[in-house]
Structure formats: C-alpha cells, structure tokens
Amino acid sequence: MGEIKSENFSIPLLKANEAIAKNLRERWDKQKTFVVNILSSPGAGKTTLLEKLLPCIENLKTIVLVGDVETERDAKRIKEAGFDSIQIITGGACHLEAVMIEQITNKLNERYDLIFIENVGNLVCPAVYNLGENLRFTLLSTPEGDDKPKKYPKTFLTSHALIITKTDLLPHLPFDIEKVKQEAKEINPEIRIFEISALKNQGIGHLADFVKKEREKWIRE
Ligand SMILES: Nc1nc2c(ncn2[C@@H]2O[C@H](COP(=O)(O)OP(=O)(O)O)[C@@H](O)[C@H]2O)c(=O)[nH]1
Ligand SMILES: [Mg+2]
C-alpha cells in the first residue's frame, strides 16, 4: 500500500481557519501586538518555561492564552506567577483553532504588547492550525527522545525556534542533542535552536532576548 498524505485531501476546515487567522493577524498588526504560539507534547515544559520567561520580558504588557482539554490549572499557575492569563478549555479538541483565539481576544478589554499562546500538548494537529502568530516555538524535552524531529516534521518545519528543554536531565538520558539539532535543521534550515533548563534557570535570558529582538524587528518593519 502506498503512502497516504493528508495534503492530497481538500480540508475546508483548515481553509476556514486560515481566513480567521488572517483577520487576527491584521487586527494584531494594527494594534502592534506580537504573538508567539508555543507547541509541544504534554509535559515538555511549556508552562514552566513561561513562568520563568515572563519575568525576563520587562516593560511589555503581556498575556498568556493557554489551551487545555480540561482544567484551569495552567492559567492559575501563570496568574500565580503574577501575569495575566486566560484558560481556553477545548473540551476534547487536541489543538487550538483561530476561532477560539478570536472569541477570547474579542472579550479582552485591554491592548497587549505581547501574547503567548500555550497550545494543547500535541506535536501533530497544532502544526496545521495557523493562529495568526508572528512566531511559532516548538519545545522538545530531553526525556521524550531524540528521534522526534523526523517523526513530526511538519511541527519542526513550521516553527521559527526549537527549544530543547530539561537539559539538566541530559546526564541521565540517552539523548543525542547534536542529532536533534542536525535533524531539525535538515527539516527546517532556518530554525533557531535554544537549549533550556527552566529548573536550573539556564538559557532563559537568551530566549527572552530573542523574543524581544524579534518583536522590535517586526515593529520597525
Ligand atoms: N527536570 C526538569 N523538569 C522540568 C523542567 N521544566 C519543567 N519540568 C517539569 O516537567 C513537568 C511538566 O512541566 P509543564 O511546564 O507543566 O509542562 P507542559 O505540559 O508542557 O506545560 C513538571 O513536572 C515540571 O516540573 C526542567 O527544566 N527540568
Ligand atoms: Mg502547560
């Protein structure tokens, strides 16, 4: 049996998503709101990274929109860290869609300089749903294994940055970090790569600088 490729099928749902994402992008362009969409498997460290990253991004009004199948736990964590956050409960859906972001942002009373979207933990579906973001980050944590870029190429292909998390665990794991970097670059030669241990506070500053610089570059364009 031959390969089955999803691009051979017409997907009206994705076309509708693209149209809403385009509207979101136009609105955020006018408002000068910079948006980062964060993808990863469940437990790769998205919320922990945000808890550490947000305090390094000073003087920008920031909110985190966080998607999960159930519970308000992550939004609660972000608020406890001292930042605005809204939970999006998908009730089963394994990814966020532009319409969900549109509904939430329509209700915001304030303008934000920066919006982080913590997507539902999943390396598959979120890759094909444009949320109108400026930057897409994918986290890969060391316990997940070094074979993931080639197994989930679309996610790495569509990301601006790969953030290898939990590097403090490297001494305990058979994780070939150079192989991951090489395979991610083979899929997407432009991808930026960051190595982070949120637990040990390593690499957070570099990532914060990257977000700030990319936002400034975009503002100047
Ligand atoms: N060893 C280690 N554990 C981490 C690190 N970052 C997050 N974790 C742990 O990984 C688990 C999942 O983290 P979380 O941020 O909730 O992941 P999310 O599901 O991607 O948002 C938690 O138990 C965290 O304490 C890290 O840098 N090193
Ligand atoms: Mg989380």
Side-chain angles (χ1 to χ4, degrees):
M1 206 173 120
E3 256 184 299
I4 297 174
K5 291 200 167 166
S6 64
E7 52 264 39
N8 295 338
F9 299 93
S10 127
I11 307 175
L13 208 77
L14 287 179
K15 285 195 182 135
N17 185 78
E18 273 308 309
I20 300 170
K22 191 166 166 275
N23 288 343
L24 282 171
R25 185 65 269 149
E26 281 168 11
R27 183 200 296 178
W28 287 329
D29 280 344
K30 279 192 204 121
Q31 294 177 348
K32 296 267 176 271
T33 299
F34 193 73
V35 181
V36 183
N37 183 10
I38 305 179
L39 276 51
S40 84
S41 302
K46 299 178 293 300
T47 313
T48 311
L49 176 65
L50 285 165
E51 286 166 336
K52 295 289 172 84
L53 184 68
L54 297 178
C56 299
I57 300 177
E58 316 86 6
N59 305 323
L60 292 180
K61 191 159 174 55
T62 303
I63 188 167
V64 179
L65 310 179
V66 52
D68 272 300
V69 170
E70 280 299 343
T71 84
E72 303 246 346
R73 287 180 177 177
D74 281 3
K76 186 166 173 278
R77 282 172 63 185
I78 298 291
K79 283 181 200 156
E80 280 168 4
F83 298 90
D84 291 354
S85 185
I86 299 176
Q87 185 79 45
I88 303 168
I89 296 176
T90 67
C94 54
H95 56 270
L96 291 175
E97 295 183 19
V99 69
M100 301 172 187
I101 303 298
E102 187 184 48
Q103 283 170 10
I104 289 287
T105 49
N106 281 349
K107 289 187 197 146
L108 291 176
N109 296 320
E110 295 173 273
R111 182 206 150 266
Y112 286 88
D113 297 308
L114 188 54
I115 298 178
F116 284 100
I117 301 170
E118 178 181 331
N119 218 309
V120 180
N122 175 0
L123 280 179
V124 187
C125 318
V128 294
Y129 283 87
N130 180 5
L131 302 181
E133 70 264 28
N134 297 87
L135 287 183
R136 181 175 291 186
F137 289 175
T138 289
L139 273 56
L140 175 63
S141 67
T142 55
E144 287 170 74
D146 55 20
D147 58 345
K148 296 301 173 290
K150 292 265 167 151
K151 288 177 84 171
Y152 303 96
K154 184 103 188 176
T155 301
F156 295 85
L157 178 67
T158 60
S159 292
H160 300 89
L162 160 62
I163 301 165
I164 302 171
T165 58
K166 309 191 190 180
T167 54
D168 53 285
L169 296 176
L170 278 172
H172 312 287
L173 297 166
F175 184 92
D176 185 343
I177 198 162
E178 292 310 318
K179 174 181 148 184
V180 167
K181 289 185 197 175
Q182 190 192 322
E183 293 196 351
K185 289 268 184 193
E186 280 168 21
I187 295 163
N188 176 0
E190 306 294 319
I191 200 163
R192 295 284 302 267
I193 301 178
F194 296 87
E195 296 173 33
I196 295 244
S197 167
L199 192 73
K200 303 270 178 199
N201 261 316
Q202 286 164 353
I204 307 283
H206 278 122
L207 186 63
D209 288 345
F210 177 67
V211 174
K212 287 186 268 188
K213 278 187 190 142
E214 288 296 311
R215 181 182 165 274
E216 282 158 20
K217 213 160 73 182
W218 170 74
I219 296 268
R220 283 196 302 270
E221 275 168 9

